[in-house]
Amino acid sequence: MEHHENSYKIKNLNDNGVSVTLTLVEDIELEPVTQQQMMLEAINRAIPDKEMKEQLQPIMEAMLRTQPQTIIQSYPQTNITITMPKRNYENYGRPQVGESLVINIFRKK
């Protein structure tokens, strides 16, 4: 059986006195990608001729430099919401928002 261990950061914590609900998001470093980078990569893939790419690249870069730079996250993150009895939450050390947890998920046979 394959074993995957993932780290998740607590984004939200709701304690109603009886149970605790944790909202978790994957704790990974995302490399921001600009729309300019994405467009240049798409153009490079679309033009098979190397000489033509070399001629168009400076023109496209100059045109795109004048456009506003919107940064895009390049990886869709996994979100998990867990509701547990408050006693279990306390046994896990009462983790708070911003702290990371390691979650093991695997299929039981």
Side-chain angles (χ1 to χ4, degrees):
M1 174 182 354
E2 259 186 71
H3 181 76
H4 294 281
E5 196 170 88
N6 297 313
S7 182
Y8 292 86
K9 187 169 282 192
I10 300 173
K11 295 230 8 156
N12 190 15
L13 185 145
N14 184 12
D15 182 351
N16 70 9
V18 176
S19 64
V20 175
T21 301
L22 301 174
T23 303
L24 311 170
V25 65
E26 265 182 295
D27 188 12
I28 56 173
E29 293 285 328
L30 296 180
E31 181 179 331
V33 177
T34 64
Q35 284 181 322
Q36 176 181 348
Q37 288 171 299
M38 291 175 65
M39 291 174 74
L40 288 172
E41 288 171 10
I43 291 166
N44 280 332
R45 285 190 304 270
I47 301 172
D49 184 32
K50 184 179 178 182
E51 190 174 311
M52 186 176 283
K53 277 185 197 180
E54 289 173 359
Q55 291 175 3
L56 286 175
Q57 188 84 16
I59 297 166
M60 294 305 300
E61 286 177 3
M63 287 172 45
L64 292 171
R65 238 183 262 123
T66 63
Q67 300 299 312
Q69 296 296 309
T70 304
I71 295 180
I72 300 166
Q73 297 297 342
S74 61
Y75 178 81
Q77 293 177 296
T78 300
N79 292 290
I80 298 175
T81 301
I82 300 173
T83 301
M84 65 183 79
K86 189 163 184 172
R87 180 179 296 264
N88 288 3
Y89 170 72
E90 290 170 351
N91 288 338
Y92 292 135
R94 301 177 55 85
Q96 298 298 306
V97 172
E99 293 183 325
S100 292
L101 302 174
V102 174
I103 307 287
N104 295 320
I105 300 174
F106 55 93
R107 188 177 88 198
K108 185 176 179 179
K109 291 187 177 186

